Amino acid sequence: MDDKQLLDNLISAGLLAKEAAEKLLKEMELLGKSAEEIIYDRRLVPEEEVIKIKSQLLKIPYKKINVEEITKELLANIPEEVARTYKVIPLSKAKDLLVVGMVSPMDSQAQDALRFVAKQQKINLGIYLITPGDFDLALRKYSPYKDEVEAAIRSLDIKPGKKAASGERLIFLEEGVAVSEEAPIIRLVASTLKEAVNLGASDIHIEPQRSKLRIRFRIDGNLQEVSQMPIELHQPIISRIKVLANLKLDETRIPQDGRFRSIVFGRDIDFRVATFPTPAGEKAAIRVLDPTVGLKTLEDLGLTGRNAEILKEALAEPYGLILITGPTGSGKTTTLYALLQILNNIQSNIVSLEDPVEYFIEGVNQSQVQPEIGYDFASGLRQILRQDPDVIMVGEVRDTETAQLTIHAALTGHIVLSTLHTNNAAGVIPRLVDMKVDSFLLPASLNVMVAQRLVSKLCQKCKKPEAPSAKVADIIKKELESLPAELKGKYKDLKIYHSSGCKACNDKGIAGRIAIFETLKMTPQLKDIINAGVSETKLAEEARHQGMITLRQDGILKALDGLVSMEEVLRETAEL
């Protein structure tokens, strides 16, 4: 099976547009990836649909994995390194037959490795085709994290209750660097990073307490403790992280920042490290930047319907400013990256100013500001305008100078994307006026204002409908009243959803996060309001006149569709 065969079959099945397939063929050589890999990376076609087509072409049956059936005893048949390297998972074993699932069954090296395993164990092999997503889920069953922690403790001969002064721990670290004691720490740190990627964590917190070391992961926006270790492991672990991030080992009095990259589970992951001095020792926070998690499409983010249409129309304009607004941690940067990916083509020169660069996007000229040497958003924006850009992305409009330069860039024939801190979309205009931007410049430069919040996405496998309480039902009806007739008519029988938790979501009841949006566009009526003198009351009236779906309304629609919890939507939008 070659890439063209796969693409032709996807086109025939109506899963991929012909133009998209032609673009893929051109990009394969540039990126050094197969068509299948690019399709998965960009989520152009659902994995199961690709695998079904691939199964027909290769004449190898496809199997959906039930992760619960994969036991530790079953995994012992294929070493973890073989499984990771060749993307193969044991699915079942009966007498002398071992059935395995493979992502790439035609890989000759993978075939050789399996033949070696079969010969060694004197068994026959059966092969199924599996999706990369199922493979990643199954691979978690190997997770050696707790074993690695115990091994590190044993190797360093740490006994319960054993105490050490801070000075002794430093000497202990220096002694361990050059001898074999270093190996368990290297493995322990590596396992911590892998476990974070495995669990989809966005951040790792390594926190020294008075008598223990605590490790927490931020998963779906919430911090969860994953391990407690003896305090004696603190210095060796922090030192190993500093080595990886190229930080000064002997500087413990001031915070330090660094980053490093690594291949984890076949993915190129960036880790951003920040250390922070505390009385108990240095704390380390590590941001896990996984492009398969952080780089999403607008649909993945939850931007659909009228909101998506308005934004796509703005992207098609020859120039103008698109501002994404919301509090810290509301997913603004992720939305900016989604927009950049739409605009990213061979004809456009895209230049970005970021603090920091979170994800590297092929084809985009990304630059990280460094205020400590005078290279901030304002000075960087002046330089960008000399780079002949078509599209400019400014990480954040923080001050008057940046705001004025951003407006100027939009007025001089560039598409400009940026973020701002306001509570809602209508608040963008008063905020820019407060930042000393001349109001008469806004109608000509500002195209779209988008506000967003992040809410937990319900597990779709264990969600169950129920009737809302009388109070919640009244709120829903009131919000639906001002929506277009086609939307109101869709929700006659009001049902909200709750997820109690299941094996698929690790009994959490949630599976990731999704954003709720509101989108306000520049119109002739809005221009008149701005030119007459900015009034928040009139801005709100114009938003209603446009038929803007508010943050609360968008959240309620998503809750009625079973995507999110109604209670969380009402809580997140209570003050709007």
Side-chain angles (χ1 to χ4, degrees):
M1 182 197 80
D2 60 27
D3 289 298
K4 192 163 188 323
Q5 269 184 303
L6 178 63
L7 292 174
D8 286 343
N9 277 266
L10 289 171
I11 293 167
S12 300
L15 296 167
L16 191 67
K18 191 176 179 182
E19 297 76 18
E22 288 170 356
K23 187 181 177 185
L24 272 179
L25 284 170
K26 290 176 185 174
E27 291 181 342
M28 280 163 45
E29 193 173 341
L30 285 170
L31 299 175
K33 292 183 175 182
S34 68
E36 190 179 350
E37 287 175 307
I38 299 172
I39 288 168
Y40 291 147
D41 287 348
R42 297 182 185 171
R43 297 177 173 85
L44 299 175
V45 181
E47 283 186 346
E48 284 197 28
E49 299 299 333
V50 177
I51 288 293
K52 284 173 186 174
I53 298 281
K54 190 175 171 182
S55 173
Q56 292 167 10
L57 291 171
L58 296 177
K59 296 183 171 47
I60 297 173
Y62 157 64
K63 186 175 179 68
K64 176 76 179 165
I65 291 182
N66 181 353
V67 178
E68 298 307 313
E69 292 176 358
I70 300 175
T71 62
K72 204 167 185 178
E73 293 72 30
L74 185 58
L75 290 174
N77 289 284
I78 294 180
E80 183 184 352
E81 282 308 306
V82 172
R84 288 193 191 283
T85 305
Y86 301 111
K87 296 191 175 179
V88 54
I89 288 288
L91 301 179
S92 64
K93 187 178 182 183
K95 296 182 181 177
D96 61 345
L97 177 66
L98 177 65
V99 177
V100 299
M102 298 183 73
V103 173
S104 305
M106 303 311 288
D107 182 340
S108 58
Q109 289 183 318
Q111 291 172 1
D112 290 343
L114 278 180
R115 274 196 286 268
F116 177 78
V117 169
K119 189 176 179 182
Q120 206 176 35
Q121 298 185 23
K122 295 178 182 175
I123 52 174
N124 296 313
L125 286 171
I127 294 173
Y128 279 105
L129 200 57
I130 60 172
T131 66
D134 278 357
F135 168 75
D136 287 341
L137 281 173
L139 199 59
R140 294 183 183 185
K141 301 286 279 190
Y142 277 105
S143 184
Y145 189 51
K146 289 180 182 175
D147 296 338
E148 290 288 358
V149 174
E150 289 169 9
I153 292 170
R154 281 197 306 272
S155 68
L156 295 173
D157 192 28
I158 294 170
K159 296 179 175 62
K162 182 177 175 183
K163 300 288 179 184
S166 58
E168 291 172 336
R169 285 203 303 273
L170 183 60
I171 295 167
F172 179 72
L173 169 61
E174 290 172 348
E175 291 171 349
V177 166
V179 296
S180 61
E181 286 179 354
E182 183 185 11
I185 296 300
I186 291 172
R187 284 198 298 270
L188 178 55
V189 170
S191 290
T192 303
L193 299 176
K194 287 178 184 177
E195 186 76 356
V197 174
N198 251 342
L199 297 176
S202 61
D203 299 86
I204 304 166
H205 291 262
I206 299 170
E207 304 165 314
Q209 312 289 298
R210 297 185 82 176
S211 59
K212 66 184 179 185
L213 176 66
R214 179 173 68 176
I215 296 186
R216 294 191 291 173
F217 292 169
R218 188 175 295 280
I219 301 171
D220 296 330
N222 298 314
L223 277 173
Q224 301 174 16
E225 186 174 290
V226 293
S227 184
Q228 281 191 16
M229 303 179 190
I231 191 63
E232 288 83 0
L233 284 173
H234 167 246
Q235 274 295 345
I237 287 173
I238 292 292
S239 294
R240 175 60 185 163
I241 290 165
K242 282 184 167 184
V243 167
L244 289 171
N246 199 25
L247 302 180
K248 294 177 182 176
L249 286 172
D250 58 347
E251 181 55 84
T252 60
R253 300 164 300 169
I254 59 173
Q256 296 187 68
D257 292 317
R259 68 190 297 161
F260 62 95
R261 294 168 67 190
S262 183
I263 304 295
V264 182
F265 308 145
R267 305 203 296 273
D268 194 351
I269 310 288
D270 269 289
F271 296 95
R272 203 169 73 222
V273 178
T275 63
F276 185 76
T278 75
E282 283 183 289
K283 174 188 184 296
I286 306 173
R287 171 64 56 90
V288 182
L289 300 168
D290 183 349
T292 62
V293 174
L295 294 179
K296 298 184 177 182
T297 65
L298 294 181
E299 290 74 19
D300 292 336
L301 294 172
L303 193 66
T304 55
R306 182 181 180 277
N307 287 333
E309 287 169 19
I310 291 172
L311 203 45
K312 285 175 181 175
E313 284 170 12
L315 292 174
E317 293 287 335
Y319 64 90
L321 174 61
I322 297 171
L323 273 176
I324 315 294
T325 185
T328 301
S330 60
K332 300 188 296 295
T333 304
T334 305
T335 302
L336 282 185
Y337 278 125
L339 298 179
L340 279 184
Q341 289 178 93
I342 293 172
L343 294 166
N344 190 10
N345 59 60
I346 200 73
Q347 291 86 24
S348 296
N349 176 25
I350 303 177
V351 188
S352 78
L353 278 175
E354 303 174 49
D355 184 20
V357 174
E358 294 204 357
Y359 297 100
F360 293 97
I361 303 175
E362 196 75 32
V364 177
N365 303 292
Q366 296 170 271
S367 181
Q368 181 166 321
V369 298
Q370 297 185 58
E372 65 274 13
I373 59 169
Y375 181 48
D376 55 15
F377 283 121
S379 62
L381 200 41
R382 286 196 190 88
Q383 295 301 321
I384 275 184
L385 292 170
R386 298 183 188 130
Q387 290 293 320
D388 182 33
D390 298 295
V391 179
I392 298 169
M393 193 265 261
V394 181
E396 186 184 338
V397 176
R398 291 179 180 170
D399 52 52
T400 296
E401 191 178 7
T402 307
Q404 292 173 342
L405 286 166
T406 300
I407 294 293
H408 173 71
L411 284 169
T412 52
H414 306 94
I415 293 177
V416 183
L417 312 175
S418 192
T419 68
L420 193 66
H421 286 280
T422 66
N423 283 333
N424 52 35
V428 167
I429 292 167
R431 177 76 180 119
L432 289 173
V433 172
D434 285 345
M435 295 175 87
K436 306 292 187 288
V437 174
D438 293 324
S439 60
F440 67 85
L441 295 176
L442 295 177
S445 58
L446 189 56
N447 282 358
V448 172
M449 295 141 275
V450 181
Q452 67 179 80
R453 296 285 190 283
L454 281 178
V455 290
S456 300
K457 188 176 180 181
L458 294 177
C459 174
Q460 299 300 292
K461 294 197 174 176
C462 61
K463 69 175 184 182
K464 290 179 181 172
E466 60 183 65
S469 66
K471 184 180 177 182
V472 171
D474 287 342
I475 294 171
I476 295 170
K477 287 172 185 172
K478 183 183 173 185
E479 293 295 339
L480 290 180
E481 199 57 42
S482 60
L483 292 177
E486 64 270 17
L487 283 175
K488 275 193 290 189
K490 188 180 170 186
Y491 303 103
K492 289 177 182 174
D493 181 25
L494 297 182
K495 293 285 182 190
I496 62 173
Y497 294 79
H498 291 102
S499 299
S500 55
C502 64
K503 289 175 181 175
C505 61
N506 292 324
D507 294 317
K508 293 189 295 183
I510 59 173
R513 290 187 291 174
I514 193 170
I516 55 175
F517 295 91
E518 66 179 26
T519 307
L520 182 65
K521 65 179 179 179
M522 187 59 66
T523 60
Q525 293 82 3
L526 187 53
K527 289 178 184 178
D528 292 341
I529 291 168
I530 295 169
N531 290 330
V534 176
S535 157
E536 291 194 26
T537 305
K538 288 182 179 177
L539 288 173
E541 285 175 8
E542 169 57 18
R544 282 194 294 273
H545 175 73
Q546 284 188 23
M548 183 183 83
I549 298 170
T550 66
L551 282 166
R552 173 165 276 206
Q553 288 169 339
D554 190 44
I556 285 173
L557 293 177
K558 285 183 168 79
L560 293 174
D561 286 332
L563 291 174
V564 298
S565 155
M566 184 65 74
E567 289 79 5
E568 186 174 3
V569 168
L570 298 180
R571 187 170 63 248
E572 285 293 322
T573 59
E575 296 178 9
L576 298 174

